[in-house]
Structure formats: C-alpha cells, structure tokens
Amino acid sequence: MNIPEKTIERLSEYRRTLLSCHEQGVTHIFSHVLAGIHGITAVQVRRDLMLIGFSSDTKKGYDVEVLIDFISGILDNRSVVNIGVIGMGHLGQALTKYFNGRRSKLRIIAAFDVDPQKAGHEIDHIPCYPMERFEETVEQLDIKIVILSPPTAVASELVVPIINAGIKGVLNFTSMPLNFPRGIFVENYDITTLLEKVAYFVKEAEES
C-alpha cells in the first residue's frame, strides 16, 4: 500500500487521539470531531481513512476501538522494531524517557556515546555502548532505527557508520540535515527551525 508521508503522520496523530478517547471511555467518534481536534477538515479525515480501506457505520461515528486496531494494522510491524539512540546528552536522555513504553511495537534497546562516563553503563535502564562498537552492536541486537541527538558538529560523521551498520531508518534531531542513500528513510527534525517558524507567525499575528 503506497501511502503518502503526510497521511502516515496524520494516521499516527489520529491513533494517539483515539487512544486517549478510549482511555476516557469514549466508544464512538465522528469524523468532524476528530478533524476539529487536529485542525483539519472532516473531508480530510474521511479521505485518509478511505485511503487505507477503512469503512464504518458513520451514523454513530467511527468505533474508536475498531479504528485503533485498524490503524495499528497499517502502521505497526508484526514484530517489535528495535531502536538505538546515538548521543545520550540531555536531549537523548529526554527522548528515551519520553518514548520508551509508549508503543509496544517500537522499543529503544540501546544507546551509544563517546563519553566514557556514559559508555559501558546503563542510563534509565538502557545499556549505553561506546561508538566504536556501534556497527557490531547494531547487528547483534538487530537494531533497525536510530535516533540522532549528538552535537551537531559530529552529525555528518555518523552517516557512513549508519550506512555500514545496515540501519533502515533515521530520526535526526540535530540541526544539520543529513542525506542517506535510497533504502534508508530519514526524517530531519530541527527544533530551532520549528521554534523560529512558530515565533514568526506569533510576530505576524501581533503586528497585524
């Protein structure tokens, strides 16, 4: 199934909302309610769900539990996907604390750092390995995805080791956009740029 990136993002957001609704005891939800929560149109929600082949009796709205299971069947792997974090500074540790345990099919199982005070120890119950053992550890632990949170100055040096290790996906939290060959999916997430974007629109709103 060839699903656009933006649709995948929205499906993940829908599921997060649906999980929250389910925890609150909500059993059904209308497309316009789901759309309002995410700041989009009901037409967009219906298009996204039609694209993945979901249909339901909309007189009562979408069955929350059924829709969660359906989206999970699209987004999730059948087996657990192992993740590694490169760079266990403040950001790396915060990302690990925030994410671990939130998704049953995605699991951070290893960290990597050049700092000898971190490598060889556990950080928040995650074993931290020295970077010189990166490739062999990725193979041993069957790590498919890495999250990058090292100093930006060394980000480009990680491209070759990541390629050599056979990593399939990269979530890059440094401010340096990184490019990888076809077959490795990369998402560059620049917090500074996003904050500046928000600040710009705040300024525009105040000046209008």
Side-chain angles (χ1 to χ4, degrees):
M1 188 180 295
N2 188 15
I3 304 175
E5 286 183 32
K6 290 297 182 183
T7 303
I8 293 295
E9 290 178 9
R10 288 193 295 269
L11 289 173
S12 175
E13 291 167 357
Y14 298 160
R15 179 168 65 172
R16 189 163 60 245
T17 296
L18 292 165
L19 286 167
S20 177
C21 290
H22 184 61
E23 289 174 359
Q24 296 171 41
V26 176
T27 59
H28 290 78
I29 190 169
F30 288 102
S31 59
H32 69 271
V33 175
L34 194 55
I37 293 171
H38 294 280
I40 56 178
T41 66
V43 172
Q44 183 65 69
V45 171
R46 291 194 290 270
R47 282 177 180 168
D48 289 337
L49 298 183
M50 287 173 61
L51 182 63
I52 63 173
F54 184 82
S55 59
S56 179
D57 180 8
T58 55
K59 292 180 181 178
K60 292 173 59 180
Y62 299 121
D63 184 303
V64 170
E65 191 170 2
V66 170
L67 186 49
I68 289 171
D69 289 342
F70 197 92
I71 292 175
S72 295
I74 298 294
L75 296 183
D76 294 342
N77 284 60
R78 292 182 180 179
S79 57
V80 174
V81 177
N82 293 330
I83 302 169
V85 178
I86 299 179
M88 284 301 279
H90 295 306
L91 179 57
Q93 292 183 45
L95 291 169
T96 302
K97 287 180 182 177
Y98 172 80
F99 187 78
N100 252 1
R102 287 181 175 265
R103 290 292 180 270
S104 60
K105 296 293 186 179
L106 297 172
R107 183 177 59 188
I108 296 174
I109 65 166
F112 302 90
D113 206 290
V114 296
D115 186 346
Q117 293 187 338
K118 295 173 183 174
H121 302 279
E122 283 196 357
I123 302 175
D124 292 319
H125 308 293
I126 302 297
C128 185
Y129 299 89
M131 274 305 299
E132 57 262 28
R133 290 187 56 196
F134 175 70
E135 293 181 29
E136 65 178 272
T137 305
V138 165
E139 182 178 4
Q140 290 171 357
L141 300 181
D142 192 28
I143 294 172
K144 301 293 186 185
I145 297 172
V146 290
I147 298 172
L148 299 186
S149 56
T152 299
V154 302
S156 61
E157 299 173 14
L158 299 171
V159 172
V160 171
I162 287 171
I163 295 171
N164 290 342
I167 292 295
K168 301 301 181 184
V170 178
L171 179 55
N172 176 23
F173 275 91
T174 75
S175 58
M176 176 181 289
L178 299 176
N179 296 309
F180 290 87
R182 193 171 182 176
I184 302 177
F185 183 83
V186 58
E187 186 77 11
N188 292 300
Y189 192 95
D190 187 346
I191 295 175
T192 302
T193 296
L194 292 174
L195 279 174
E196 289 179 344
K197 177 182 175 182
V198 172
Y200 168 79
F201 284 108
V202 168
K203 175 178 69 71
E204 288 295 295
E206 290 178 339
E207 293 176 354
S208 62

